[in-house]
Amino acid sequence: MDDVMDERLPEQEMWVKAITARQNEARWKVTDGSSTFEVHIEKDVLDRLKQENLKITRGNIFRIRYYIRQSVKNYALSSQYVVTEILEVKKRMTQIEMPWTIQ
C-alpha cells in the first residue's frame, strides 16, 4: 500500500543556536539545547539577511519563526523544519585581544 501524506503544521517560534550557518545556503544545522537538527531557510529570509547585512555565524543564538512540514511515503515519516522569519539575533561573545602579553 502506498500511503502518502504531506502536511504543513502551524507556525511556531523557538530559540536556536547556529552550529553551521552559511549566508547563501538554505540549509543550516542548529541546536535547541537538547537536539541538533537541520533547518531549511526560505529564500526571502536569506534575501532579507543579505539586504540588512545581518550575518548568522556559528555560535549565534537566534529566535526563529518556523513551521514543520511532515511527509509520509511508503510508511516512512520525515519532518522538515522551515524557517519563515528570523525575529532576533544574539551575537556570540568574542574574545578581545589584550595589548600585553603574560610572562
Side-chain angles (χ1 to χ4, degrees):
M1 177 195 262
D2 194 20
D3 186 21
V4 177
M5 183 265 309
D6 189 19
E7 182 177 355
R8 176 182 169 153
L9 301 178
E11 285 197 353
Q12 304 174 59
E13 293 179 10
M14 77 170 145
W15 286 95
V16 293
K17 182 177 183 179
I19 295 174
T20 305
R22 293 186 179 91
Q23 296 310 114
N24 298 323
E25 291 184 16
R27 288 177 27 188
W28 298 354
K29 187 180 279 189
V30 299
T31 180
D32 64 1
S34 59
S35 301
T36 299
F37 51 95
E38 274 192 356
V39 293
H40 175 79
I41 314 299
E42 289 188 335
K43 183 179 178 345
D44 60 327
V45 175
L46 288 173
D47 291 345
R48 219 171 309 129
L49 287 173
K50 188 174 185 177
Q51 181 182 21
E52 295 175 12
N53 201 25
L54 182 60
K55 297 193 184 316
I56 304 293
T57 59
R58 180 185 170 108
N60 287 160
I61 296 175
F62 49 101
R63 188 165 55 100
I64 59 172
R65 181 170 291 134
Y66 70 98
Y67 66 89
I68 298 172
R69 177 167 301 285
Q70 286 193 313
S71 302
V72 176
K73 186 173 182 182
N74 296 329
Y75 297 101
L77 176 66
S78 68
S79 296
Q80 180 184 44
Y81 290 76
V82 181
V83 176
T84 59
E85 191 172 355
I86 295 177
L87 303 167
E88 191 175 345
V89 177
K90 294 186 181 290
K91 298 279 188 181
R92 71 177 179 171
M93 297 181 76
T94 56
Q95 187 171 357
I96 60 171
E97 293 291 325
M98 302 307 273
W100 64 81
T101 59
I102 299 176
Q103 298 179 0

